[in-house]
Amino acid sequence: MTLRFTFDGQEITCPDTSSLAAALTAAGHRAFRDTEQGAQRGIFCGMGVCQDCLVTVDGRPNQRACMTPARDGMTVETQTARPSLTPPAPRDLTPHRMRPTVLVIGGGAGGLSAAIAARESGAEVVLLDERKVPGGQYYKQAAQGDPLDDQQAEGRALVQAARDAGVTILPQTEVWGAFDGPEIMATAPDAVYAIAPKKLIVATGAYERPTMIPGWTLPGVMTVGAAQTLWRSYRTLPGKRVALFGNGPLVTQVALELADGGVDVALLAEAAPHPLRRPLAGADMLRRDRALAVKGLRMLARLRSHKVRPTHDALPRAIRQTDDGLEVTYTVGGQTRTVTADAVCLNYGFQPSNEVLRLLGCDMSYDAGFDHLRVTRAETCETSVPNVYAIGDCCGLGGAPAAVTEGRIAGRAATGSAPLPEDQEELARHRAFQDALWRVYSADLPLPEDAPPDTHICRCEEVTKAQLDAALADDPTDIGALKRATRVGMGRCQGRYCAPAVAGIMARRQCRPLEDLSYFAPRVPIKPVDIAAITAAEALLDPEE
Amino acid sequence: MTDLLIIGGGITGQVAALTAAEAGARVTIVDSQRNAGSHANAGSLHVQMQSRFLRLNPHLAENLESSLPLYLSAVTEWEALDARLGGVELTREGGLMLAENDAQLAFLHEKAERERRKGLDVEILNRDPLHAIAPWLSSRIVGAELCRNEGKLNPLVANRKMRATLDALGVRHVHDRITRVEDGPRPVAHGATDYRADTILIAAAWGAEALTAPLGLSLRTPPEPLHMNITEAGEYQIHHLVQHAERPITLKQFRSGQVVIGGGWDANLASDARHAPTIRKTSLLGNVALAAQIAPGIGGLRVLRTWAGYNTPVDGKATIGPAHPQNRVFLALPGDAGYTLGPVTGRTAAALAMGLEPPIDPAPYAPARWRA
């Protein structure tokens, strides 16, 4: 089935399962909104966190195209920087108060597995997921049609298993607040929720770390995961010619998927040296999980059949828009080269989506290897806050197979069962494999302090490296002072991209170790929240509150 | 060699530093860089009596009313500062205090009469003239008190430009927490190290109580943690500083288009010195829902961020002057609405400390009332 809507008056036809972002991309549109400084922005993260793909939908401003399903008859417009203060049409939001035994936030590999395990005891289990179809970033489900491959089929089976087990799945439900209790506040298209579970399992995953270079905010420059979502979930290619830059196995996998889908892969640039230069780590990977290691080798072989070979030791330096497309200047060793493409994909690792955990006050420690925070957990995956469990990549990167196992452990623990020895052994194996994998892919990535002065450090507030340097000259004591001085981190993404960069810059300047307090103070809402949703949620306050 | 050592780097201490440095003094500001009210402030320039304060502190209403002339001088001081700093997005488009029924309007009539006697430029607007100047208001609002003296500014811009101006004047900034002040011919402030100066000025808001008690003063300065919200940017249409006659709210729009919502909803005190005060769910939901009721035009914008900051009401009246006559330790405490009153308080205190002509008569605000 197809549907029709208009974008700035032009009629667009798309499948009825499409997201607005996919439909607009398929129709050749890359720029969705204008910024305060008159620049244009489009899809960047493709998963609802960067808030750059905003459009006005039926008169309601600032709706994320990547998270909004296309509907027949919609009027979609380019988002202006400052929409008029005209009251939008009222929203009909039903307030719900829930007190399930177990609440799982996130319907990815870990969350689904935790929910299934918790249901085994007969407990009432509610699972929240932001997407219309759960599955998370690893299983990335297709909006329609048959699974593309084994990975999607496995995810579909897991979603089905959760439904069969009797898990209450609330799709398109986004968490915006976490308060002591724990109590979780969330919104859906037709409802608002205040959920006070006995046990909370946080499985919110991770988002991608970009590289900050001039031009990384241009429409058409997106994360590798965003391109993957366009293709795997919506069968939409991000462009005809695509250049991928990154570090780690996801980049190679997505290059192959896009090539299979018909994309001309203009460049696959890997920051790490060739794996043959690290034979020990490679052998270790093979020893820890032969099947996964072999899967990786097969991917490379299939890429070769598309005439794509990864370029190693390669890093992007700047991107600019030309008449012919996006021209990326990159370096390989000491050489400088250029490549031109319609879409440029970036991935330099991941940042845990740990906002809920930080809001609840869970203890964190800094992992220098992955340059992010890891939540402190017991063997049962319980955090330092009683009754709050954390699993998967939101705890610090660990990969989907580990998330599935951690989900089983946490789901059992939350309902009173001890971890199974086989789960613990399996988890140890997954972790050892991840360790070997990232030794193979270890690379010297450029530090944000070395970025050229015109590089945007904060996408949302359009704060450049030069502005940041000027404020750093005043020797701010902490990241909060730097935020107030420059507006870095004050925008819609809540500092998700700039915070890790700025925290690192500050720590290295002050010769201090990174810790939880190095990052912006956690604050509600963890994502911008509609005023109508807050008004509806007010009805959920107890009179004694 | 310090002529004036200022404890507290918020707007009060900064304007004191500016005043003294412009008069040629060598000035040092020592600040602990933790939870300064000025760093959390949302930039309202209050003049009319806030219904929040009258409701929370009815016993201090008389102090507040007697301070109204200080509020008038405070906005004049801010206008001068706006010019001195090269623009801090200050506007003087007036403030509206809204009424939803005849009883609230009657309260505003009576309040306006009291304020007029103190020299404020106030007027009661009935429904039609009100909605003509504020079309984004809900139709449930029947009238308002307009106070033309009120306005707003962008504190982030003001704080940044203030710092640059002080740097250019050679004011020294030290990061330290002062724990004790010793009076004498050459007073000493004790922190990680000792700081000696000809004169010490305490502009430490909620930190003042601990420093002044050993000097024989009985003032109490508990911080009042208050909740704030900010939305995405919209077209600049809300020109007034908006409050309500009976319900706790302030609402205004920055020139940048973002709408700031606050008005005295409570937050939680910080758990320790390294953390900031935290948010209460009840304040977030109640405050934003109330804003959407009175100004439905903001309903298309999303709430981006919330935060909490410390107000220091003291007794609702400023404390300005030497801790003791002939003493070299001075106080500069605005006593509620610290960001509005900070500049006039800081300038007056610095003028007294440096033997200059103060911009206002400081007698009503003398610290004498705190001596046992």
Side-chain angles (χ1 to χ4, degrees), chain A residues 367-444:
Chain A
D367 177 339
F370 287 91
D371 184 24
H372 61 219
L373 292 174
R374 280 193 189 272
V375 65
T376 308
R377 294 181 291 173
E379 228 176 39
T380 55
C381 295
E382 192 170 13
T383 66
S384 61
V385 177
N387 303 318
V388 177
Y389 297 76
I391 55 171
D393 287 348
C394 73
C395 307
L397 197 69
V404 170
T405 314
E406 289 178 6
R408 269 203 305 274
I409 292 172
R412 286 174 55 84
T415 48
S417 305
L420 297 170
E422 57 264 39
D423 282 341
Q424 286 171 312
E425 284 159 26
E426 193 176 296
L427 187 57
R429 197 170 65 243
H430 292 320
R431 287 178 177 166
F433 176 80
Q434 280 286 317
D435 182 59
L437 173 75
W438 288 104
R439 271 187 284 132
V440 169
Y441 277 104
S442 125
D444 279 333

Side-chain angles (χ1 to χ4, degrees), chain B residues 42 44 46 50-53 55-56 224-229 241-244 246-252 260-266 283 287-288 290-291 307 311:
Chain B
S44 300
H46 290 291
Q50 292 185 65
S51 51
R52 169 188 73 85
F53 191 89
R55 200 176 44 256
L56 293 176
E224 179 186 47
L226 297 179
H227 176 93
M228 304 295 310
N229 315 271
L241 168 63
V242 182
Q243 299 183 76
H244 194 284
E246 208 163 76
R247 307 174 74 183
I249 190 156
T250 56
L251 182 153
K252 62 184 168 291
V260 188
I261 303 163
W265 292 73
D266 57 0
S283 290
N287 197 186
V288 174
L290 177 56
W307 73 97
N311 180 39

Side-chain angles (χ1 to χ4, degrees), chain A residues 208-282:
Chain A
E208 287 166 274
R209 184 191 295 134
T211 182
M212 291 168 172
I213 55 174
W216 72 288
T217 56
L218 288 168
V221 180
M222 64 186 80
T223 63
V224 167
Q228 189 191 34
T229 299
L230 284 173
W231 174 242
R232 285 180 79 79
S233 293
Y234 305 109
R235 299 292 186 273
T236 300
L237 294 172
K240 205 171 148 24
R241 299 165 300 171
V242 178
L244 300 99
F245 291 85
N247 178 221
L250 178 70
V251 195
T252 307
Q253 179 184 338
V254 173
L256 175 61
E257 289 167 4
L258 294 177
D260 282 346
V263 150
D264 166 15
V265 175
L267 182 72
L268 166 54
E270 167 57 54
H274 196 282
L276 288 181
R277 280 170 39 202
R278 287 166 175 159
L280 288 179

